[in-house]
Every structure is written in structure tokens, then in C-alpha cells.
Amino acid sequence: MTQCCINPSILSADFVNLEAELQRISTADAVHVDVMDNHFVPNLTIGLPVVQRIQAVSPIPLDAHLMIADADRWAPGFADAGLASVTFHAEASLAPVKLARELRSRGSKAGMALRPATPVEPYLDMLTELDMLLIMTVEPGFGGQAFLDLTLPKIRRARAAIDGSGAGVAIQVDGGITEETIVRAAEAGATVFVAGSAVYGADDPAAAIERLRGQGSRPLRGASTE
Ligand code: DX5
Ligand code: ZN
């Protein structure tokens, strides 16, 4: 079995009780922190000072998803804060190779995200620069949206390219992940799953994480990577 990773998104958590909300998902693999700037996406969340406080009290590693314009300028500061993983959007970076290298040199894993309509093909030559490829399965900006099945062929193409290249890149999916849609995303080749409403909307988030983990873990196929 490929054991998948479940990264709950605190976008669906109670923002006034973040420390307690983090404890409720302490059995997850990482906490997904959505940073939005009201420019790259039409919504505003939290900035680096709050992310640093989350980092200080979180029982599990942070997986930051930066939905911000001018990622080249702002993303390195999140790596400097000691986050385990920092993901920028390809559409928001003028120099994604340089930025990915900068994140790694500052000690974070480097992730790059693609909006639903952004093809993966222009980025295949830089896979070795990345630790994670995030394929958005909704338009970024809001939790609680429906999973876009039109992203499944892109997940499959990315999986085939990664397996073919031997690059150790994890494929993360984010948006509309439920106990039902996670199966389709896993079959297409994703191994890291972000879930906001499916975890924090559940009465028992820890039980929801376990159910998602069971549904998202697939029989081992070829050179599948974590
Ligand atoms: C959306 C965010 C997601 C969001 C997922 O732009 O990037 O991380 O919180 O929420 P659900 O799982 O409810 O779609
Ligand atoms: Zn996200």
C-alpha cells in the first residue's frame, strides 16, 4: 500500500481558537495553511506573523499554500520562518526554478501549485527542482467548493511524468476532497490530500482523518512516490 498523507486545511477551522483547532488534527500528517492576499485570489486570510505563531504551537509540520501575487518576493520569508513546506503558485512566479531553489536553500521543501486550467506540461522539465506539485482541484480562494473532475487527466499526466523521470515529487490535491472524491484523485495518482470542510466540518476530525486516510491509500503501483 502507498500510505497517503492527509493535510487538513485550517481555512475551515475556528480562527479565534486556532491553537485548540490544531490539537484536534494532531493525528494528521501536516497542517495546510492557506495564505491569501486578495490579489492573486479574491479572498484574504492570514499573513506571516500569524503563520509564525501557528508554527510555534502546532503539534504537526506546516504545509503553507501561498495564494499570493509576487511569490518571488514573499515566499522566501515563509521558508525563513522554518516551515516544513512552502508552496507557491506557478502563475504568481516569474522565476519558478530560482524560487524553488531559494526555498530549498532556506530549509523548506519546495512546492509549486497549478490552478485548474494551468497545464502541467510547461513545467515538466523542472520537476526535479520540486518536492511537491500541488494540482488544484477547485479554483483557489475558498473552502467548501465542489471537486473539479476535469483536473483528473492532469493528475494522471503528472503522475506518469513523475514516475517516468524518477523525480521524488509528491502530488498534492486541494479542493473539494471528500471520502468520495479522494478515491478518484488517488486512482489518478495523488498521494497528499488537503481537506478543509471534510475534516473540520466533521463532528470528530480525527475520525474523519482516519477515514480519508483509508480511502486515499492505494495499492502500490510502479515507482509511486510520497
Ligand atoms: C482553497 C484552499 C483550500 C481549501 C480547501 O483555495 O486552497 O486549501 O481550504 O477546502 P475544502 O477541502 O473545503 O475544499
Ligand atoms: Zn490550499
Side-chain angles (χ1 to χ4, degrees):
M1 290 286 276
T2 331
Q3 182 72 17
C4 70
C5 293
I6 305 296
N7 297 3
S9 164
I10 51 161
L11 192 59
S12 299
D14 177 0
F15 266 62
V16 91
N17 291 306
L18 277 181
E19 190 168 7
E21 292 286 73
L22 289 165
Q23 291 302 328
R24 296 173 80 205
I25 58 159
S26 62
T27 55
D29 297 278
V31 53
H32 184 84
V33 179
D34 288 304
V35 176
M36 306 185 189
D37 67 351
N38 213 21
H39 291 276
F40 183 72
V41 288
N43 197 3
L44 185 66
T45 56
I46 55 175
L48 184 54
V50 178
V51 174
Q52 284 172 314
R53 287 297 301 142
I54 293 171
Q55 161 83 357
V57 302
S58 177
I60 52 178
L62 266 63
D63 158 32
H65 176 196
L66 305 183
M67 287 160 275
I68 59 175
D70 200 357
D72 305 285
R73 176 174 175 192
W74 299 111
F78 287 81
D80 286 340
L83 306 199
S85 175
V86 176
T87 296
F88 63 90
H89 266 267
E91 305 89 349
S93 171
L94 291 175
V97 172
K98 179 167 180 271
L99 180 54
R101 289 185 179 184
E102 207 163 323
L103 295 175
R104 282 178 160 179
S105 75
R106 292 170 191 235
S108 285
K109 288 189 172 174
M112 190 178 74
L114 304 174
R115 300 181 83 127
T118 303
V120 68
E121 281 71 19
Y123 301 99
L124 292 182
D125 287 340
M126 66 169 286
L127 285 176
T128 51
E129 304 290 338
L130 300 173
D131 299 292
M132 189 165 75
L133 179 69
L134 166 52
I135 296 180
M136 289 302 299
T137 43
V138 298
E139 287 290 359
F142 301 92
Q145 302 181 75
F147 182 88
L148 293 170
D149 278 284
L150 62 82
T151 60
L152 289 170
K154 178 163 57 178
I155 299 169
R156 283 192 207 100
R157 295 198 305 273
R159 177 85 271 157
I162 289 167
D163 287 351
S165 73
V169 189
I171 298 180
Q172 183 181 69
V173 285
D174 180 11
I177 296 297
T178 64
E179 286 174 46
E180 184 229 334
T181 60
I182 195 171
V183 176
R184 299 206 287 284
E187 277 169 359
T191 55
V192 184
F193 303 94
V194 176
S197 38
V199 171
Y200 277 110
D203 291 337
D204 183 347
I209 289 165
E210 274 325 294
R211 286 197 301 272
L212 286 167
R213 208 174 252 141
Q215 294 287 86
S217 296
R218 312 300 305 164
L220 197 59
R221 303 166 309 134
S224 173
T225 57
E226 281 298 313

